[in-house]
Amino acid sequence: MAHHHNRVRLFGASLLAIMATAGGSAFAQDAPQADAAPQADAAPQDATADTIIVTGFRAALQSAVNVKKNAAQIVESVSAEDIGRLPDASIGESIARLPGLTSQRLFGRANSIAIRGASADLSTTTLNGRPQTSTGEQRNVEFDQYPSEVVSRVDVFKSPQANLINQGLAGTVDIRTIRPLDYGKELYSVGARGVYTDLGKVNADSKDKGYRLTGTYVGQFAGDRIGVSLSAAYNDEPYQSKEFEAWGYADGPNGDKVIGGIKPFGVSTQLKRLGIQGAVQVQATDTLLLTFDGFYGDFKEKQIKRGVEFPLYWSGATLVPASISTDGDFINKGTFTGVEAVVNNHGYERKSKIFSGGFNGKYTGDDGWSASFDFGYSRTDRSELSLESNAGTGYGPGNGATDTLDFVSGAKGTRFTSSLLDYSDPNLMVLTDPLGWGAGAPLGHQEGYYNNRIIDDEIKSYQLEFGKEIEGGFLSKVTAGLGYVDRTKAKTPEEYVLNLANGATSLVLPEQYRLAATDLNFIGIGPILSYDPFKLLADGVYIRTLNPSRTCRPRPIR
């Protein structure tokens, strides 16, 4: 499948106010077990008037390099220039640039991460050292759920270590949020950005402009023995793309390869995402640090995908022999007659809510003994709805008007240079089961399909650790601990055939549902019939008929 995704340009402004004590500040961050490994210092402890303190982007690079240099494992790291200022829209975008990591994109966004070329579900993701629930059917986390503005650092561990009890086979991604006492300064930060899409509005009922809002507060109280941090990020952004997908290439006349069918689409996506994270730290005694932290994410994505499916050589259409032009053993030009096309207006909705939080108690004695206890809880509730709706010139194969299409095929796909039918005419393109693909449905036909996947995922984790520093020997420290994770995950499929109300097998689209036509000129077809399938279902134009073979009770995912 070929995707032409838009490039989104950003413009905006931010305000950063920092109130600090006269002395220098040290940045410390705990490691991935629940709150335990040193973060590189961004400034010396004893700053004087002659000390040069590195800040901004160079400090971020310095911090990331020091994490790699001081780690016992093979680690990659990315740090925020300042709190709330990781350089990308989501965590996935930020870490995809690290060596040995690649991203799998969903509608232009970095959705999942592969470490060293291994499948994404062979790695795990933790938040402040705790295992996280996932929004998909596998255990890999979808990183576009996490706004970059609520994160201070991300570490990627490529090699195993005993205290990484939640590690994956390929590696472990640990997302770190702000620790207010470790940050050591008071901070207020707000920001705003605007976005627009280079492709404009691919579908007339979509948007081509959006925005992002962020805010962060960090404070210390009671003589720096209590720290509070709170960050929030909200974005409402459009994504636009034009897609071409070939069915494949058939063996045509004389064994030459010829296009079997194509599916061009204009795709518009609207993403709304809210992320909130907070932490409270209490230095109860000189040796005991208590940390409470939490993250909440609300993710909503709605997509409209409009296009036309053209069955060509793999159908009842005829390739006119006299029209054929070849390039070697490939037919690169010709004419198909008797083409029965299917106009698609598909809708997709993805909703998820994520909560993650926990408690950590850390004891560090003056005699070299240390101990920590960590409890974590993570839960995800997700639904992913796919709603397909079809239109054509007549009910069933061999009924209705057919098209004659002149085509050209090349390295960039197939496009048409001429056609006869007007695919935007509502009296010609009617709601129906055009090619009889729904013959096996409960009513013997289907004008669309409803497919919902509901995911419920919950994790409870416990970790206890003891350690003793050893002086003057081969070992510097001995650590032992216990870990326990309880995870429950279930998927509930809901699948229905969509039929027209009152037993109809075809229907001219009512005027109140007709939208401005989507233009497929990039494939050579021009405008096509456009409507909102969600509204047709909500208003009773479509009715749902249960597909008993595909719908079942909730079942665990192992």
Side-chain angles (χ1 to χ4, degrees), residues 441-450 495-500 537 542-548 551:
L443 300 183
H445 59 92
Q446 67 181 57
E447 289 71 57
Y449 202 75
Y450 178 103
E495 298 194 31
Y496 297 85
V497 171
L498 293 185
N499 295 114
L500 294 168
L537 178 61
Y542 286 128
I543 60 172
R544 298 190 307 178
T545 303
L546 183 68
N547 185 348
T551 300

Side-chain angles (χ1 to χ4, degrees), residues 459-538:
I459 295 178
K460 296 176 184 178
S461 63
Y462 308 83
Q463 187 169 342
L464 181 64
E465 185 176 296
F466 299 92
K468 179 67 171 70
E469 294 181 356
I470 302 174
E471 297 182 359
F474 176 73
L475 300 176
S476 61
K477 186 176 182 180
V478 175
T479 302
L482 298 172
Y484 176 77
V485 176
D486 181 11
R487 182 168 192 170
T488 303
K489 187 168 186 175
K491 177 180 71 173
T492 306
E494 294 181 348
E495 298 194 31
Y496 297 85
V497 171
L498 293 185
N499 295 114
L500 294 168
N502 303 316
T505 56
S506 63
L507 175 71
V508 174
L509 181 67
E511 188 171 354
Q512 66 267 30
Y513 299 109
R514 300 173 190 174
L515 302 176
T518 296
D519 194 347
L520 294 186
N521 266 333
F522 75 95
I523 206 70
I525 289 301
I528 66 170
L529 181 70
S530 300
Y531 53 88
D532 184 350
F534 293 104
K535 190 168 181 58
L536 295 186
L537 178 61

Side-chain angles (χ1 to χ4, degrees), residues 268-332:
S268 300
T269 305
Q270 193 70 27
L271 171 63
K272 297 181 180 181
R273 180 183 60 197
L274 171 66
I276 301 173
Q277 78 85 23
V280 176
Q281 285 189 296
V282 179
Q283 190 72 57
T285 68
D286 291 341
T287 58
L288 181 61
L289 176 64
L290 307 178
T291 303
F292 305 83
D293 62 84
F295 170 81
Y296 172 78
D298 190 348
F299 183 97
K300 298 178 181 178
E301 180 184 63
K302 186 172 183 178
Q303 181 184 97
I304 291 295
K305 190 172 184 178
R306 298 189 174 108
V308 184
E309 196 158 2
F310 293 96
L312 299 174
Y313 199 81
W314 282 329
S315 71
T318 300
L319 177 61
V320 178
S323 68
I324 294 175
S325 174
T326 61
D327 180 6
D329 58 355
F330 179 68
I331 298 177
N332 62 358

Side-chain angles (χ1 to χ4, degrees), residues 33 46 94 96 152 208 211 213 217 227 316 343 345 377 394 413-414 493:
Q33 49 207 83
D46 299 318
S94 298
S152 63
D208 59 358
Y211 62 92
L213 302 174
Y217 167 75
V343 176
N345 279 254
Y377 177 82
T414 297

Side-chain angles (χ1 to χ4, degrees), residues 137 453-456 489-493 552-557:
E137 297 183 11
R453 290 289 185 269
I454 300 172
I455 301 290
D456 296 303
K489 187 168 186 175
K491 177 180 71 173
T492 306
C552 65
R553 296 178 180 177
R555 61 173 180 260
I557 300 176

